[in-house]
Amino acid sequence: MVRFIVNGVIYLGSAAIGLFVTSLILGEDFKLSIAALLLATVLFAAFQMILGPFIFKMTHKYASALTGGVGLVSTFVALLLTNILVDDFSITGGIATWLAAVVIVWLITAIATWVLPMFVLKEAVENRKD
């Protein structure tokens, strides 16, 4: 149960960082209000947690050559669904913006998912010592 909560916190943190940094980089083509950031973070993280393993399983079973692109595909689908469901979140500017958004969000969330556990677990270990 603790592992699930820690993973959830890491997914939420990486999603928030990825969406926020992407909005800074892409500017007006990636509109995301602060209020929408909260809802978009929760939805995007949930979609990623669900879609990642599902898309991996499907590509591994039916198109093993695409297995390496699972993160990009799940990021695209999660962004698309989040874009549809969150009112103050929009990606405009055409296919180039969508491609840039997918790559940037994927890269930032991948790095954050790798780095955040160091901080989260370090804090937990230090709190446990006290």
Side-chain angles (χ1 to χ4, degrees):
M1 184 66 173
V2 172
R3 184 179 203 149
F4 179 76
I5 292 170
V6 169
N7 283 340
V9 168
I10 290 168
Y11 266 104
L12 286 170
S14 67
I17 293 167
L19 292 171
F20 180 71
V21 170
T22 303
S23 72
L24 293 176
I25 293 170
L26 296 180
E28 290 298 314
D29 289 337
F30 194 93
K31 295 179 186 173
L32 184 64
S33 70
I34 296 299
L37 177 62
L38 297 174
L39 179 58
T41 295
V42 171
L43 289 175
F44 181 81
F47 291 142
Q48 281 288 82
M49 286 179 76
I50 295 166
L51 291 170
F54 175 74
I55 292 173
F56 177 78
K57 188 175 182 179
M58 291 295 111
T59 57
H60 186 69
K61 186 174 182 179
Y62 296 110
S64 60
L66 299 176
T67 303
V70 167
L72 290 169
V73 172
S74 66
T75 299
F76 168 73
V77 175
L79 276 176
L80 180 65
L81 292 172
T82 304
N83 187 41
I84 291 168
L85 295 173
V86 178
D87 287 336
D88 291 337
F89 176 53
S90 64
I91 302 173
T92 59
I95 194 162
T97 303
W98 272 95
L99 290 173
V102 168
V103 171
I104 294 167
V105 170
W106 170 77
L107 182 62
I108 299 295
T109 57
I111 292 169
T113 302
W114 180 58
V115 172
L116 282 176
M118 293 179 215
F119 295 106
V120 171
L121 297 177
K122 181 180 177 183
E123 184 72 27
V125 168
E126 287 176 1
N127 287 341
R128 193 141 200 196
K129 287 181 182 177
D130 295 337

